Amino acid sequence: MRTRTTTAALAALLPIALAACSTTNGNLPKRPPAPASSASHAPSPTADPARADLEKAVRDYTAAYFKPDVAVAYSMISTRCKARITKASLAASLDRAHEMAVTLGNENADRTVKRFQIDQLADGMAQVSYGVDDPRYDQHDQPWTREGGNWRYDSC
């Protein structure tokens, strides 16, 4: 009984741990992210370079998040978020998420971005929605900002 209670509690906390730094616009209806733009799950080389760069940044950040690779994930967050999120706190969040996945027995699941959609893109700011084939990890209207020519996660 205690094992089931612990597992249920951990399962309930998993989405919270993984979305510790995420926000969702409550005014917009929830919708699954659109299918990825190509079968290889990589940005199209003929697409608008800003859009391709944004998609690559989202894919790279997601890969670092689920690995977990704190150094890469932290290097990809915005200056504004770095003022609010320390590397140690990000590491703790990623560790909790990974521990939860281990507890649930799905730490080896493929969590690469399978669906990606740019919801808004203007003036170096973007909102994206994407998914990794597990609705618990879907992101909607996640903010990103362009700093020094690079897209940065800006959901803090």
Side-chain angles (χ1 to χ4, degrees):
M1 180 68 154
R2 183 175 181 184
T3 302
R4 279 191 280 179
T5 303
T6 301
T7 301
L10 291 173
L13 292 174
L14 182 61
I16 295 167
L18 291 174
C21 298
S22 292
T23 61
T24 299
N25 185 339
N27 298 330
L28 297 175
K30 296 283 188 237
R31 65 195 176 286
S37 57
S38 70
S40 69
H41 304 300
S44 168
T46 60
D48 173 10
R51 290 177 176 271
D53 290 348
L54 175 57
E55 184 173 351
K56 182 178 182 330
V58 170
R59 290 178 183 283
D60 291 349
Y61 178 80
T62 302
Y65 189 92
F66 285 115
K67 191 170 186 174
D69 186 334
V70 177
V72 170
Y74 194 76
S75 75
M76 296 186 73
I77 66 174
S78 68
T79 302
R80 184 181 74 84
C81 288
K82 284 180 180 174
R84 296 178 182 192
I85 302 169
T86 66
K87 194 172 188 177
S89 67
L90 181 63
S93 180
L94 269 61
D95 286 345
R96 281 191 305 272
H98 184 72
E99 288 170 12
M100 187 71 64
V102 169
T103 300
L104 296 174
N106 64 1
E107 71 272 19
N108 294 318
D110 177 16
R111 292 201 180 88
T112 56
V113 173
K114 306 290 190 300
R115 297 173 312 282
F116 178 82
Q117 169 180 307
I118 298 173
D119 303 313
Q120 294 180 16
L121 176 63
D123 302 323
M125 305 287 284
Q127 287 187 337
V128 300
S129 296
Y130 58 96
V132 296
D133 276 354
D134 186 334
R136 293 177 293 186
Y137 308 118
D138 282 356
Q139 297 297 314
H140 301 278
D141 304 307
Q142 186 181 69
W144 285 73
T145 189
R146 198 154 175 107
E147 294 178 347
N150 297 308
W151 284 103
R152 304 285 182 210
Y153 174 84
D154 195 43
S155 185
C156 54

